[in-house]
Amino acid sequence: MSNIPAELKYVSSHEWLRLEADGTVTVGITEHAQELLGDIVFVELPSVGSALGDGEQAGVVESVKAASDIYAPIAGEVLAVNAELEAAPDLANSEPYAAGWFFKLKPANAADLDKLLDAAAYAAEIGA
Amino acid sequence: MTAPKRTPLFDAHIAASAKMVDFAGWEMPIHYGSQLKEHEIVRSDAGMFDVSHMTVVDITGSDAKGWLQKLIANDVSKLGFEGKALYSGMLNEQGGVVDDLIVYLTATGYRMVINAGTTEKDLAWMDKQSAGFDVKLQVRRDLAMLAVQGPNAIAKVCTVKPELAEAIQALKVFQGLPQGEWFYARTGYTGEDGLEIMIPATEAINFFNQLQAAGVAPIGLGARDTLRLEAGMNLYGHDMDETVSPLEAGMGWTIAWNPEERDFIGRKALEAQKAAGVAMKQVGLVLEGRGVLREGQKVVVDGQEGIITSGTFSPTLKHSIAIARVPASTGATAQVDLRGTLTDVRVVKMPFVRNGKKVFE
């Protein structure tokens, strides 16, 4: 049974988003996604300062088993990326909602968050 | 869809918290938690793989030897004593690989171990080739098979079977020890020392549990694949199949050309290929930067093309490696189409890893 924190937002391509107090958004992949991928060995992240469109490719996760694209769940500017993943990509396996975060966005339009899945809707999506 | 088959060790896998997947029609453990950790255990200590889905066939009859000398590309006349093992391809008339297998000399004839996914096809092919020969094939579904692999594998098996320790330790590579219905062979598919052990199905779970108590960790098919790839060993259906010549799949060493009069199936096609010049060869590829080489990716060498037949992240080397079929003229470098980007890779002689250590230059 996958952990799907109630306070986060989700998209069906298995990224999660957390709205921070300062209005920025942190993005990662869900526990379900890391379970599907298995042991993660490389994470390729977007450049800080780049502007991503809604659903635009933002990076790649490579596990022993497969390569999988990561998408920007909403449009925005990349404010920061998780440099820890360079040396320790397995953080995305062990702590997908905490130390394994991928990047932070400044949303182009804060209202975009309202269109995303909540925990219950994502759980239904993955049949959890 | 028929329900996937289960090996005699199914309940032991569940008890060990395995994640089970469908593999060639069998419900098999892909991992017991982490594929990377399991890989590391086999390289540094001892692990065990359930390989009971593979098929054991006993071959008897007065023509068994002559029939095998026609059926497979290696020559069973090399098997000088009971328990001795030989690796070979079984080819079709076009010189393509029907399957790869191990054959042992037994007290009553021969014993062959063939792949799970090719079993029905192989048995039909062998049956067809047996016309005119006095041979009898018996499929041994009453046996389970465990591969125990790693630097400490043999020592740990010996703690479970102390009465056999001396005989097991005396086995040389590619030799086997029959013990009633049990059979201990010093063979494997990981690049580490170890044994492949055939066990009466009813005794398999007890033996698995004894090995686990002796510190042998269960290992899934996921790590089996990364281990064999590091060892530079072919996987049927990926690195070769019925459309690929053994000469282009790194299996030249398994073809016994002498005596010249031995007319094994596929011989004429292979001789014609050699005479015309073999167009492709098998090599290892190494990507030391980021990214992972994957099966099916295109290899580019001086405007000519090859293909990656198996690729992965190497847990031992911490970068990606691959087995590829490339133009025969390929030198020390090549490029791989890595998700749309032509990326430089090094071309090396395999294996990549043996006995826990990097071996290529």
Side-chain angles (χ1 to χ4, degrees):
Chain A
M1 194 63 190
S2 256
N3 176 22
I4 306 172
E7 69 276 18
L8 304 181
K9 293 282 196 177
Y10 300 88
V11 288
S12 53
S13 53
H14 309 297
E15 289 87 7
W16 58 260
L17 300 85
R18 183 172 56 232
L19 180 62
E20 309 293 355
D22 60 1
T24 67
V25 168
T26 305
V27 179
I29 62 167
T30 65
E31 182 164 296
H32 178 68
Q34 71 80 20
E35 280 169 3
L36 291 178
L37 284 162
D39 295 295
I40 293 169
V41 293
F42 292 112
V43 180
E44 199 179 300
L45 295 167
S47 312
V48 173
S50 60
L52 296 173
D54 178 10
E56 189 177 332
Q57 194 193 328
V60 180
V61 184
E62 297 249 23
S63 69
V64 174
K65 196 161 66 180
S68 181
D69 292 331
I70 314 163
Y71 300 98
I74 55 169
E77 183 193 339
V78 179
L79 297 174
V81 298
N82 184 357
E84 300 284 312
L85 291 174
E86 176 96 22
D90 57 315
L91 286 173
N93 289 118
S94 56
E95 299 181 49
Y97 299 113
W101 65 277
F102 280 16
F103 54 90
K104 289 185 194 292
L105 284 178
K106 181 181 169 192
N109 180 356
D112 286 350
L113 280 159
D114 300 335
K115 295 182 289 188
L116 303 174
L117 303 175
D118 63 15
Y122 179 67
E125 184 104 351
I126 64 171
Chain B
M1 275 301 282
T2 49
K5 291 173 282 214
R6 293 177 173 182
T7 76
L9 288 161
F10 179 84
D11 290 343
H13 300 315
I14 299 302
S17 308
K19 179 170 163 48
M20 305 298 284
V21 296
D22 186 338
F23 179 84
W26 292 82
E27 210 171 339
M28 299 300 289
I30 185 78
H31 62 71
Y32 301 81
S34 167
Q35 177 177 338
L36 289 178
K37 286 198 188 93
E38 290 165 26
H39 181 110
E40 170 59 21
I41 288 168
V42 174
R43 286 275 176 254
S44 62
D45 187 4
M48 59 180 159
F49 311 75
D50 179 8
V51 287
S52 309
H53 58 311
M54 297 182 78
T55 302
V56 178
V57 186
D58 282 342
I59 301 157
T60 52
S62 59
D63 294 334
K65 181 177 180 184
W67 178 70
L68 282 166
Q69 287 188 300
K70 174 192 166 199
L71 185 75
I72 64 175
N74 214 334
D75 189 349
V76 291
S77 70
K78 292 177 185 172
L79 297 174
F81 52 90
E82 187 185 354
K84 182 72 181 134
L86 185 74
Y87 175 74
S88 181
M90 176 165 72
L91 311 182
N92 58 28
E93 295 289 356
Q94 295 73 43
V97 184
V98 176
D99 201 2
D100 67 330
L101 54 90
I102 286 184
V103 59
Y104 301 93
L105 188 65
T106 65
T108 55
Y110 296 88
R111 169 171 286 182
M112 196 184 260
V113 181
I114 58 178
N115 281 302
T118 53
T119 293
E120 279 177 39
K121 170 188 90 164
D122 288 0
L123 292 175
W125 174 257
M126 289 191 267
D127 186 55
K128 186 179 154 196
Q129 302 304 332
S130 65
F133 288 86
D134 173 31
V135 286
K136 188 166 164 285
L137 305 183
Q138 189 192 2
V139 175
R140 298 294 305 270
R141 282 286 161 224
D142 57 318
L143 297 178
M145 192 157 32
L146 263 182
V148 189
Q149 303 276 299
N152 300 329
I154 290 178
K156 288 187 173 179
V157 169
C158 289
T159 65
V160 174
K161 297 280 177 188
E163 69 282 10
L164 296 176
E166 204 176 325
I168 288 172
Q169 280 156 356
L171 287 173
K172 295 201 170 69
V173 173
F174 262 68
Q175 291 183 7
L177 173 72
Q179 281 289 313
E181 287 295 285
W182 291 62
F183 185 77
Y184 301 80
R186 193 165 162 205
T187 53
Y189 194 47
T190 60
E192 297 299 326
D193 202 355
L195 300 166
E196 291 179 305
I197 306 172
M198 298 173 203
I199 311 153
T202 50
E203 299 175 62
I205 287 194
N206 184 44
F207 186 52
F208 182 99
N209 290 339
Q210 288 176 324
L211 286 170
Q212 215 174 357
V216 179
I219 310 293
L221 290 178
R224 184 169 165 81
D225 192 53
T226 50
L227 287 158
R228 70 90 194 169
L229 223 163
E230 286 186 344
M233 293 172 172
N234 281 354
L235 175 60
Y236 190 82
H238 300 262
D239 302 301
M240 75 298 199
D241 60 27
E242 291 186 20
T243 68
V244 175
S245 163
L247 299 174
E248 298 183 328
M251 293 173 68
W253 64 277
T254 69
I255 300 162
W257 298 100
N258 291 311
E260 280 172 35
E261 57 274 19
R262 187 176 70 92
D263 188 21
F264 63 86
I265 298 167
R267 177 170 192 133
K268 287 185 181 64
L270 296 187
E271 284 174 346
Q273 286 171 25
K274 283 226 294 189
V278 182
M280 307 289 277
K281 65 177 178 183
Q282 186 186 67
V283 295
L285 302 181
V286 172
L287 173 64
E288 268 132 341
R290 296 166 64 82
V292 181
L293 304 168
R294 308 275 183 192
E295 178 178 352
Q297 285 171 346
K298 190 169 71 180
V299 184
V300 181
V301 184
D302 296 333
Q304 293 180 286
E305 281 186 16
I307 191 162
I308 290 181
T309 55
S310 289
T312 192
F313 175 81
S314 160
T316 305
L317 303 170
K318 312 290 181 210
H319 59 67
S320 185
I321 56 172
I323 300 175
R325 197 161 58 246
V326 297
S329 60
T330 301
T333 60
Q335 289 186 306
V336 173
D337 185 343
L338 210 64
R339 299 163 58 83
T341 307
L342 277 181
T343 306
D344 290 337
V345 295
R346 291 208 293 129
V347 177
V348 303
K349 189 177 179 312
M350 294 190 290
F352 302 100
V353 177
R354 255 309 128 83
N355 299 320
K357 291 190 182 66
K358 172 177 168 173
V359 286
F360 62 92
E361 291 296 312

